């Protein structure tokens, strides 16, 4: 039976020619649905292998879905793909937008990643605090629209995942574990495993002013990421510290005297973030304790003492006892 013949032949109503910066890309998009047999027969663009397996209709649906993502209001909800509903909204599909999408397909996937950066640039206007939906929400919505061919949805999803990998290094954006792709950042759970402590202690550690953390702005319960290098340094430092009571026993001096040794830089007292993980806050570096003991032992004389020298114990015994009444010796 065929299709009913239209009452109007659009060829009888020529329109002004459109001029855009990339006419080749625009011709590609319009050529996907051009009814002219001569155009369809000569239509043979050079496409990436990912796109060559798709039909003209699937490519056009994919192009239109990307157009919808580009012109959608960034402040609207991105759980579903925006679609034009009236003439004014269809006007957003300008020739320039069509040419940009056409170029994204012709230079796939590099040009598509450049479009993704354009979408990411408007992320501050979107709701939410972090994540792939915050960064690439309109494009992500394409992958969840059942009206788009599955081959196109799956392909776009793979490229979005690739884009998250490509943009992981050097970004200060908060991302979930599956999209972070950064080995230099740790969750509090990962940090607890490295430090061999509870997550509550790690949470307390993360509040220390000297601990570097990364967290989305204006969030209360959002993930807080920690610097792996700093956490590993803290983990390495922790077992080298000695509590003050043990240091006093090693040196054979009162515990109260350790502070003066620290002030004279004979002992190194730890005051950094690692003290949050320890019982109490009075710990000394084991290396400084060993160095002090070694210096004392180095100064010990093993030869016969000079005639004028006496042993410490003998000298102490020669010191007269203090008077019972302090005031009596001063005539008060």
């Amino acid at each position: 039976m065929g299709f009913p013949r239209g009452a109007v032949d659009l060829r009888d109503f020529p329109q002004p020619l459109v001029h855009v910066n990339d006419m080749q890309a625009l011709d590609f998009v319009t050529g996907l649905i051009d009814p002219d047999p001569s155009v369809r027969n000569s239509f043979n663009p050079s496409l990436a292998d990912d796109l060559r397996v798709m039909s003209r209709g699937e490519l056009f649906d994919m192009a239109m879905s990307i157009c919808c993502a580009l012109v959608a209001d960034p402040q609207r909800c991105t759980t579903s793909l925006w679609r034009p509903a009236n003439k004014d909204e269809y006007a957003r599909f300008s020739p320039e937008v069509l040419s940009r999408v056409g170029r994204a397909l012709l230079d796939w996937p590099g040009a598509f990643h450049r479009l993704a950066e354009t979408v990411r640039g408007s992320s501050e206007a979107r709701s939410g605090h972090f994540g792939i939906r915050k960064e690439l929400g309109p494009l992500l919505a394409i992958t969840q629209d059942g009206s788009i061919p599955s081959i196109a949805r799956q392909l776009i999803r793979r490229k979005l995942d690739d884009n998250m990998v490509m943009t992981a290094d050097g970004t200060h954006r908060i991302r979930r574990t599956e999209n972070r792709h950064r080995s230099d950042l740790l969750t509090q759970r990962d940090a607890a495993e490295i430090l061999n402590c509870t997550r509550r202690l790690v949470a307390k550690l993360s509040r220390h002013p000297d601990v570097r953390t990364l967290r989305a702005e204006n969030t209360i319960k959002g993930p807080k990421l920690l610097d792996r290098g700093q956490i590993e340094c803290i983990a390495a430092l922790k077992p080298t510290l000695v509590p003050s009571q043990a240091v006093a026993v090693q040196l054979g001096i009162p515990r109260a005297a350790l502070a003066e040794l620290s002030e004279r830089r004979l002992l190194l007292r730890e005051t950094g973030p690692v003290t949050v993980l320890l019982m109490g806050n009075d710990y000394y570096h084991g290396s400084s304790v060993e160095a002090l003991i070694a210096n004392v032992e180095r100064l010990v004389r093993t030869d016969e003492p000079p005639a004028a020298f006496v042993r410490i114990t003998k000298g102490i015994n020669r010191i007269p006892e203090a008077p019972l009444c302090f005031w009596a010796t001063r005539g008060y």
Side-chain angles (χ1 to χ4, degrees):
M1 296 178 60
F3 294 99
R5 183 173 182 177
V8 177
D9 190 338
L10 296 179
R11 290 174 295 183
D12 296 334
F13 300 90
Q15 300 295 311
L17 293 178
V18 172
H19 295 282
V20 295
N21 294 329
D22 193 346
M23 286 299 300
Q24 181 189 22
L26 179 61
D27 289 341
F28 166 72
V29 175
T30 57
L32 291 172
I33 56 171
D34 197 312
D36 190 333
S38 62
V39 174
R40 297 179 69 86
N41 292 333
S42 62
F43 187 80
N44 187 28
S46 177
L47 298 175
D49 293 340
D50 289 341
L51 302 179
R52 292 178 66 87
V53 298
M54 300 172 63
S55 67
R56 297 161 70 103
E58 290 170 336
L59 286 172
F60 185 76
D61 284 341
M62 182 177 178
M64 291 301 99
S65 67
I66 297 176
C67 284
C68 291
L70 286 182
V71 302
D73 184 355
Q75 294 184 341
R76 70 176 295 275
C77 179
T78 57
T79 55
S80 60
L81 182 64
W82 174 85
R83 296 282 189 178
N86 52 55
K87 179 181 178 181
D88 292 337
E89 291 182 347
Y90 271 104
R92 298 185 191 180
F93 290 2
S94 66
E96 190 63 39
V97 171
L98 294 175
S99 68
R100 290 174 62 194
V101 174
R103 180 52 56 189
L105 299 183
L106 288 174
D107 292 347
W108 184 271
F112 177 77
H113 290 307
R114 290 193 290 273
L115 282 186
E117 285 306 306
T118 300
V119 174
R120 182 176 280 113
S122 60
S123 62
E124 294 302 323
R126 282 189 282 278
S127 60
H129 297 288
F130 60 91
I132 187 173
R133 191 174 298 279
K134 173 75 170 176
E135 296 182 42
L136 303 173
L139 292 175
L140 183 65
I142 297 175
T143 67
Q144 301 167 342
D145 193 320
S147 64
I148 300 170
S150 61
I151 187 173
R153 286 187 279 120
Q154 294 170 8
L155 178 58
I156 290 178
R157 179 66 211 217
R158 290 199 302 271
K159 295 309 171 184
L160 291 181
D161 291 339
D162 291 345
N163 185 267
M164 296 297 282
V165 175
M166 293 167 53
T167 58
D169 292 337
T171 182
H172 294 290
R173 296 180 182 273
I174 298 296
R175 292 176 174 177
R176 299 186 185 278
T177 302
E178 63 271 18
N179 291 316
R180 190 173 304 125
H181 307 293
R182 288 186 61 176
S183 59
D184 61 323
L185 295 176
L186 295 172
T187 62
Q188 294 190 37
R189 182 191 298 273
D190 296 334
E193 293 180 359
I194 293 176
L195 296 171
N196 192 25
C197 66
T198 64
R199 292 177 62 184
R200 178 173 294 183
L201 267 180
V202 174
K204 184 178 179 181
L205 175 68
S206 68
R207 294 191 290 271
H208 193 283
D210 293 337
V211 173
R212 297 186 293 273
T213 61
L214 188 63
R215 194 174 202 174
E217 295 182 0
N218 303 320
T219 58
I220 298 176
K221 295 185 178 181
K224 182 185 287 187
L225 304 179
L226 297 95
D227 183 272
R228 176 185 289 273
Q230 186 178 35
I231 294 300
E232 290 178 346
C233 287
I234 292 175
L237 176 62
K238 181 181 175 183
T240 68
L241 300 178
V242 184
S244 58
Q245 185 60 44
V247 175
V249 171
Q250 281 185 272
L251 297 179
I253 61 176
R255 183 180 175 185
L258 298 180
E260 185 173 351
L261 291 176
S262 177
E263 292 176 0
R264 295 175 179 273
R265 299 183 180 180
L266 296 174
L267 286 177
L268 180 58
R269 182 170 177 263
E270 178 58 41
T271 58
V274 68
T275 57
V276 175
L277 308 176
L278 303 170
M279 296 294 292
N281 295 317
D282 203 5
Y283 279 75
Y284 293 85
H285 286 244
S287 58
S288 68
V289 177
E290 294 173 359
L292 178 59
I293 294 175
N295 287 334
V296 171
E297 292 177 345
R298 182 173 53 84
L299 296 174
V300 173
R301 297 182 58 169
T302 58
D303 57 342
E304 288 293 328
F309 282 56
V310 296
R311 294 182 180 276
I312 294 178
T313 54
K314 185 178 292 186
I316 292 176
N317 291 331
R318 290 181 180 181
I319 297 176
E321 295 184 4
L324 296 178
C325 180
F326 174 80
W327 305 107
T329 62
R330 283 163 173 74
Y332 294 111

